[in-house]
Amino acid sequence: MATKKDSPGQGTRDKLIDAAFRAVARDGLADTNVKSIAAEAGVNPGLLHYHFASKDALIEAAIESATARYMAEIDALIEATPRADLFDAYVAFAAATLDANRDLFRVRLALGARAMNDARLAEWLETGNAAVRGRLATIFAAGAGRAAPDDSDRLRARMTKAAFEGMMLSWLTQPDFPMRDALGAWAAGMRAGLREGQ
């Protein structure tokens, strides 16, 4: 677990989590340090070590927090949407939240690059990736008219997660990358494939 303490100073802990996320999104992993996070949060740098075992533990907590919010939005969408409409609702959600989640994608991709040489980080990231793929498989099953995901839905989810990471990388590094057009083309191809799989 990332935290040392949970109850005392919860407000400070939350400020540090939010500040770490903003600092990494803005400056990158390599240029984010304890002092820059503390300055972003408006607190003394010593408070970081009171609440977290290390800078990396704080960054992981920041990613967990942002990812949990994103996953809660997807869970709410799945819960509130009739199954027959779920795929289209998800596509609309993904398009509508691109800009709001830009920093989340940026930080996750930065951690993904670092995970190529860090087995512990790779394992930690895979836990979150598996949760996203599970939601995607549920959405694809609904799009194909199935009550529960099958192996084809799980494969589509794995391919989609990989494709989205590539598209996100292009979108974040190339100002003219047509992200919404790419998302629309992906959705059209996936929709056709799901109909064939019914």
Side-chain angles (χ1 to χ4, degrees):
M1 179 154 248
T3 63
K4 281 183 174 180
K5 306 191 183 294
D6 287 328
S7 300
Q10 190 69 23
T12 300
R13 180 183 180 279
D14 291 342
K15 282 169 70 172
L16 285 165
I17 286 172
D18 291 342
F21 187 83
R22 289 192 306 271
V24 172
R26 184 187 61 236
D27 303 330
L29 284 170
D31 292 331
T32 298
N33 56 45
V34 170
K35 285 186 178 180
S36 66
I37 293 170
E40 182 76 24
V43 301
N44 185 301
L47 285 174
L48 188 149
H49 293 295
Y50 175 80
H51 290 280
F52 299 92
S54 65
K55 179 188 88 168
D56 286 348
L58 170 55
I59 290 171
E60 287 178 12
I63 289 296
E64 284 175 354
S65 176
T67 301
R69 285 192 296 267
Y70 182 70
M71 296 295 280
E73 291 178 356
I74 294 175
D75 287 342
L77 180 77
I78 291 171
E79 182 70 27
T81 307
R83 288 189 65 77
D85 302 328
L86 186 53
F87 178 78
D88 289 332
Y90 171 73
V91 173
F93 163 81
T97 60
L98 273 175
D99 292 323
N101 289 303
R102 189 180 187 106
D103 285 347
L104 174 59
F105 304 141
R106 181 185 304 278
V107 174
R108 283 196 65 86
L109 285 171
L111 286 174
R114 186 169 163 187
M116 288 190 288
N117 298 310
D118 183 336
R120 188 205 60 80
L121 179 59
E123 183 178 341
W124 180 80
L125 284 173
E126 174 54 18
T127 300
N129 289 339
V132 171
R133 291 194 307 266
R135 268 67 164 198
L136 288 173
T138 295
I139 291 164
F140 297 151
R146 285 187 283 278
D150 67 9
D151 287 344
S152 68
D153 299 314
R154 287 184 278 276
L155 179 58
R156 283 185 177 100
R158 187 171 287 277
M159 293 186 315
T160 294
K161 183 75 171 73
F164 275 18
E165 287 178 358
M167 288 192 294
M168 291 299 172
L169 182 60
S170 296
W171 182 51
L172 291 168
T173 58
Q174 301 168 28
D176 62 342
F177 183 77
M179 186 62 191
R180 283 177 175 75
D181 291 342
L183 181 59
W186 166 83
M190 185 64 69
R191 192 178 289 111
L194 290 172
R195 286 189 189 124
E196 289 173 9
Q198 286 179 333

